[in-house]
Amino acid sequence: MAEKDNSSVDQIRDILFGEQTKSIEKKFTQLEAEINQQFNGLKTQITAMNKQLTANMKAMEKQSNESLTSLHTEHTDQMAKIEASLNNKIIDTEASILNELQQRANELDQNLTHRKELASLLKKMAEQISG
């Protein structure tokens, strides 16, 4: 008999609240479907963003590496030019110093020659005076 009472109560409940329960269940099902749809949409967007970010990072890394290589090459070329310029200046300075030394050596030779001539002349004069 308890089963009959429960069954009757369930039937009365279905009669009184059946439409509302069905309506609420339908709304919950719709909400669940909407939430799943939105979740899947967000998941798709996040996956696409992740792919785009990865592609952008790879492109930036490639560009950065190319720029670094270019800068390295440019600096190497500039250093080679500076080194060549310094070597040329050193060679020019050495040549200038050697020319200066050569001129001074020539002047000393001329002075030495003049002194020898003067010494020879003085010796002759001394001989003439003494003799």
Side-chain angles (χ1 to χ4, degrees), residues 38-129:
Q38 288 178 357
F39 177 77
N40 288 333
L42 288 173
K43 189 175 176 183
T44 302
Q45 286 178 347
I46 289 172
T47 301
M49 287 171 150
N50 190 23
K51 285 180 182 178
Q52 184 63 41
L53 285 172
T54 301
N56 288 349
M57 286 177 60
K58 285 181 181 178
M60 288 172 65
E61 181 181 7
K62 182 180 178 185
Q63 182 181 8
S64 177
N65 285 338
E66 288 172 355
S67 294
L68 185 61
T69 301
S70 174
L71 281 173
H72 177 69
T73 302
E74 186 178 317
H75 286 158
T76 301
D77 291 346
Q78 287 178 351
M79 290 301 290
K81 288 177 183 176
I82 290 170
E83 184 180 358
S85 175
L86 286 174
N87 283 336
N88 288 339
K89 286 181 181 182
I90 289 171
I91 290 170
D92 290 346
T93 303
E94 285 177 347
S96 175
I97 290 171
L98 286 175
N99 284 336
E100 183 77 22
L101 287 173
Q102 186 64 43
Q103 287 176 355
R104 300 289 172 145
N106 288 340
E107 288 174 9
L108 286 174
D109 265 354
Q110 288 175 356
N111 286 340
L112 188 58
T113 302
H114 290 301
R115 286 184 184 169
K116 285 182 182 177
E117 289 174 5
L118 184 59
S120 173
L121 187 62
L122 287 173
K123 186 177 178 182
K124 283 183 187 176
M125 285 176 64
E127 287 176 356
Q128 285 178 355
I129 293 176

Side-chain angles (χ1 to χ4, degrees), residues 30-43:
Q30 287 174 343
L31 284 173
E32 185 179 15
E34 285 179 26
I35 289 171
N36 282 335
Q37 184 180 9
Q38 288 178 357
F39 177 77
N40 288 333
L42 288 173
K43 189 175 176 183

